[in-house]
Amino acid sequence: MPQFRRSAAPLGSRLLGDTSESPRRRRVRVQILLTIFLLGSNLIGAVIVGALVSVVVPGPDVLVPKYWWVNYIVIPVYVGLAFIVGVLWGTTRAVRALRWAIEDRKPTRKEQVNTLSMPWQLTRVQILLWTVGLVLITTIDGIIDPQSIPKVAFTIGAGGTVVCAFSYLLSEFALRPAAARALEAGDPRRIRIAGVMGRSILSWILGTGVPVAGLMIIAIFSFIRPYQTDADRMAVAILALGGITLVFGFFLTLLGGFATTAPISNVRSGMAELERGNSDVHLAVYDGTELGELQSGFNRMADGIREREKIRDLFGRHVGHEVAEAALSKNPELGGEERDIAVFFIDLVGSTEIASSRPPAEVVALLNRFFAVVVDEVDEHGGFINKFEGDAALAIFGAPGDMEDHCGAALAAARKISTRLRDEVPECSAAVGVASGRAVAGNVGAKSRFEYTVIGDPVNEAARLSDLAKNAPGAILASKITVEGASDPESSCWKFGDSVTLRGRSAETVLASPTA
């Protein structure tokens, strides 16, 4: 399905590229984004935790000489190993799990589930590494000074929680191209951690709840441990944690907001394309929450609109667009109504000889050129082709919709067709009969299948005039009543001739033919 042009990026951000880019380029893009996001969030988290432990959070000073081997050997070595395992190994593992996308093939169910759950899998690795670091460093610092356990454990735990939250949201963002490809095969089940509401609550807890809880814990410890009641130390702690709350809360809310608004903007852009008449709209579904269901629902709606427009167009080609519009605007029923109409019947002269002397394909091509002129002029003058009968056609003016000058339109169309056929399809000639009067127009048939048609004397009269016109100069005849019913500009283009009694009729018909 071709992607439509719109202002919103197909995957919600221009950083993620387009759904039509090559698999290899997509792999490089995903791996680079994952590495930058995970490395950056963990590096910033480690620096902030170090600053909080050493300066901000009240408690025993961990920068004294007795902690030197922890601060300068254990922590740097573990942080380095954690970066290698968590970032490099994690991103490599993710890319390996996405090999199906690199190979540009449809994923199996297992590959699909692995792809959609990959942000959570990467986050679990981060949680494990931060938990191991918390236990290891807290235990070692506790052996040196048991009173440092609450301070170190709280700081590492709170910092690790926020970092893991960022890792999840950023991994989910970076893996959108792969998620979109996986969801093309159908969403087997909701894999993501939470829906829109859960994502919002997660952002609030980690951006506001954890830092505020930290402030409350510091206040509690200030009552329990006298050395933490120093006013300056408390002011520093409150300002630092308040600043972290503002900064990290803002960015977490921003990430959650982008994750929520990107699919909505995607759908809004698609709706704008539909309003502009472009039904070839297909959104990339990349969100596993309710918003992904919204994107999928939009695609189903667009598919339905395309199918409806296809049926409407096909229906209009078969029965005429006016009849199709009338049938779609109200419930069609069997029966009809009397209307004043004008009709013309056009019949190809010598069709039997043409069919016997030419190959079938050539005959069909000739008929299509012939009917193309007829349909074009009938549409141009506001009528519609009611039916094709082999090498003949019946055109109606004044039904199903009203027409101010139906007689003039039918006469003008007949004249123009006669002229165009001589110039554009000289291999054949056609006879045209034009008539008007009162007829019944409506649906005829059975409840399971019917067609719109007109029944009455004008139709029979037009057919008889067409037969008579085959031997008349110009091969076009109309009834006097039709010419008199037309407006002055058109009626002046016709002249009256003999009176004849047409087959099947008792009254005479005064013939009319074009003046030129």
Side-chain angles (χ1 to χ4, degrees), residues 248-445:
F248 280 81
F250 171 76
F251 280 109
L252 276 170
T253 304
L254 193 65
L255 285 176
F258 279 145
T260 301
T261 58
I264 296 175
S265 298
N266 208 225
V267 173
R268 286 181 59 192
S269 298
M271 292 293 293
E273 288 293 323
L274 284 180
E275 290 177 358
R276 285 193 285 268
N278 178 18
S279 61
D280 292 329
V281 183
H282 185 79
L283 301 181
V285 181
Y286 53 78
D287 196 292
T289 67
E290 299 90 338
L291 297 173
E293 296 173 9
L294 178 65
Q295 292 174 313
S296 297
F298 176 86
N299 285 338
R300 290 193 296 271
M301 180 189 71
D303 290 341
I305 291 175
R306 278 194 298 273
E307 187 67 22
R308 180 181 177 183
E309 290 301 319
K310 182 179 179 180
I311 293 174
R312 181 194 293 267
D313 181 65
L314 189 61
F315 186 33
R317 290 171 185 264
H318 277 276
V319 302
H321 289 287
E322 283 193 8
V323 176
E325 291 295 333
L328 292 171
S329 63
K330 59 183 180 180
N331 186 29
E333 297 178 351
L334 290 175
E337 58 178 343
E338 289 191 358
R339 301 183 67 94
D340 289 321
I341 64 168
V343 300
F344 75 66
F345 192 87
I346 184 168
D347 188 14
L348 200 62
V349 177
S351 58
T352 303
E353 181 182 351
I354 293 174
S356 61
S357 61
R358 301 190 181 193
E362 189 175 331
V363 173
V364 171
L366 177 63
L367 287 176
N368 287 339
R369 291 169 54 207
F370 165 67
F371 285 129
V373 173
V374 175
V375 172
D376 185 34
E377 288 302 324
V378 170
D379 289 343
E380 179 69 22
H381 289 82
F384 82 96
I385 300 295
N386 180 241
K387 61 185 66 179
F388 295 100
E389 298 179 356
D391 57 353
L394 174 66
I396 301 176
F397 299 81
D402 295 328
M403 182 178 291
E404 184 176 351
D405 184 17
H406 53 274
C407 292
L411 292 169
R415 288 192 305 105
K416 191 62 179 295
I417 288 171
S418 180
T419 302
R420 285 188 59 183
L421 287 176
R422 285 195 297 269
D423 296 336
E424 300 176 25
V425 195
E427 308 97 300
C428 65
S429 60
V432 187
V434 189
S436 63
R438 197 79 171 166
V440 176
N443 297 312
V444 177

Side-chain angles (χ1 to χ4, degrees), residues 113-135:
V113 172
N114 283 337
T115 301
L116 295 176
S117 63
M118 187 54 63
W120 174 233
Q121 294 181 34
L122 292 174
T123 305
R124 283 190 302 178
V125 174
Q126 306 301 314
I127 293 173
L128 176 63
L129 293 172
W130 276 89
T131 302
V132 172
L134 184 151
V135 173

